[in-house]
Amino acid sequence: MVVSSKILPRVLIVSRRTLRKNKFVDFVGEYHLDLIVSHGAVPVIMPRVTGVHSMLQSFEPIHGVLLCEGEDIDPSLYAHDAELSPEDMEEINRLHLGDTTIDREKDSIELTLARLCLERNIPFLGICRGSQILNVAAGGTLYQDIDKEIGTTTKHIDYENYDEYRHAVRVVEETPLHQWFDEMDEIMVNSYHHQGVKRLAQRFVPMAYAPDGLIEGFYDPNRYDPEEGQFL
């Protein structure tokens, strides 16, 4: 076995919380850890526990942040004008039972990290809920429930086909996604979310749209070098 003395970049990822044998357990999906390692970086798990905010300096240096899936973001953290009735909310909670439980501690930790990235130009990637966190951190808003608020005909979540479900997205020309996928106008993507971007923060630009017009991907144009095909 060869051990390298090279210091690799550190990428922070916040854990999720689940209940196991009547005790809370923090975890991170192995796929996301593999993603970080496969790109030559070291994953550093930031635990979702009270008080971790005061320890943020101890996680330095932060070379990147990966924000990924989780529960719905607390709607009080962004301006929302959805007129959802108590009956609507009851139905949403019933249909999306595993996703609608608010985790304010995780919200707070990830919003702190997202704002740190935006302020200090730390590289970031937001997947699923992570992209929503970035949008909220930059001043954007969310649909609390896509079906209820826009009456979509596009299925964005399929509980019976979690791993296999896909739908098409339209790729915006002259964006990183368009460049990475050899200028394809449409690609198929996996989808598992009942919320989504409502008003995109001003600093971001859309990269992809679902058939119902929902923004499915966005980026910061000030952080991207189109000639190099990579983010700064």
Side-chain angles (χ1 to χ4, degrees), residues 56-69:
L56 192 57
Q57 287 186 337
S58 298
F59 286 91
E60 299 278 4
I62 303 172
H63 300 114
V65 172
L66 175 61
L67 300 165
C68 49
E69 83 281 349

Side-chain angles (χ1 to χ4, degrees), residues 22-73:
N22 297 318
K23 295 181 177 65
F24 286 121
V25 176
D26 277 27
F27 72 97
V28 173
E30 187 173 313
Y31 171 81
H32 298 106
L33 300 177
D34 285 341
L35 179 66
I36 295 171
V37 172
S38 68
H39 283 79
V42 176
V44 178
I45 299 174
M46 175 175 277
R48 177 242 156 272
V49 292
T50 303
V52 77
H53 299 78
S54 62
M55 304 176 183
L56 192 57
Q57 287 186 337
S58 298
F59 286 91
E60 299 278 4
I62 303 172
H63 300 114
V65 172
L66 175 61
L67 300 165
C68 49
E69 83 281 349
E71 295 79 6
D72 292 352
I73 300 168

